[in-house]
Amino acid sequence: MQVTTLSFDNLHAHGPLFADLLRARHRTFIEQAKWDLPAADGMEFDQYDTPASRWVAVHDNGRILAGVRLTPTTHRCGIYTYMIRDAQLGLLETIPPNLLFDDAPVNPEIWESSRVFVANEVPSNKRLRVQMQLISEMVQAGRTLGATSVLGLIPANSPRLARRVGLDCVPAGPVLDIGGSMSVAVNISMATKVH
């Protein structure tokens, strides 16, 4: 099992990994979760997949096992910034604007994590290891990018997993039904040591 952090600067060095990650997101979010998202050629993408973002992929022998996208909260592209802030500003129909207790931050030390997934094909006896690899690399990538914390919208039961692996994960908003699953915005400190 390998973990790779992708950026527009290094995509060329990783063959089809980025396209495979977008195909895995298509299977996870469009085919399985039935979310209405942009797609082309079997790949899911949106307005936040820009050169400002980074993508963490857990992969094994050409198969994507898990992934997450990291986007700086200072980024702007046209009318869009980052997903959580844009939802709060009412720019996204599918995410309620009341997802945060406070105003969405715009801070170079805070990045957003989004499109977090573990592929359904990952067997239950390997899921925790895959999740650990994903979280560990997300924290490492966040620190490398200068992040002191990550703001994410995650399944409501995920903060328990985060605490179990040593992450300081604090709710930043109420639990909401988003796309048919209970989700919560959280702040994750990049200062803690992952077990």
Side-chain angles (χ1 to χ4, degrees), residues 108-129:
E109 295 182 347
I110 302 173
W111 283 59
E112 177 191 55
S113 75
S114 57
R115 290 300 193 264
V116 183
F117 73 94
V118 175
N120 276 356
E121 304 83 52
V122 175
S124 59
N125 64 338
K126 292 186 179 179
R127 286 186 88 73
L128 183 58
R129 183 169 171 237

Side-chain angles (χ1 to χ4, degrees), residues 48 59 73 117 151 167 185:
Y48 307 108
H59 52 104
T73 61
F117 73 94
L151 178 65
L167 282 181

Side-chain angles (χ1 to χ4, degrees), residues 80-137:
Y80 297 106
T81 60
Y82 63 96
M83 190 178 69
I84 289 173
R85 184 167 186 261
D86 290 348
Q88 190 179 58
L89 294 173
L91 296 175
L92 305 177
E93 294 176 9
T94 56
I95 302 175
N98 64 331
L99 74 165
L100 294 175
F101 296 133
D102 300 312
D103 288 342
V106 177
N107 182 326
E109 295 182 347
I110 302 173
W111 283 59
E112 177 191 55
S113 75
S114 57
R115 290 300 193 264
V116 183
F117 73 94
V118 175
N120 276 356
E121 304 83 52
V122 175
S124 59
N125 64 338
K126 292 186 179 179
R127 286 186 88 73
L128 183 58
R129 183 169 171 237
V130 169
Q131 290 167 332
M132 290 292 298
Q133 292 286 331
L134 182 65
I135 290 168
S136 179
E137 184 68 13

Side-chain angles (χ1 to χ4, degrees), residues 19-41:
D20 290 344
L21 179 66
L22 296 181
R23 286 185 188 97
R25 282 178 26 182
H26 188 282
R27 283 190 301 278
T28 299
F29 299 114
I30 294 175
E31 294 172 27
Q32 295 161 358
K34 306 294 185 205
W35 291 3
D36 182 18
L37 299 171
D41 298 328

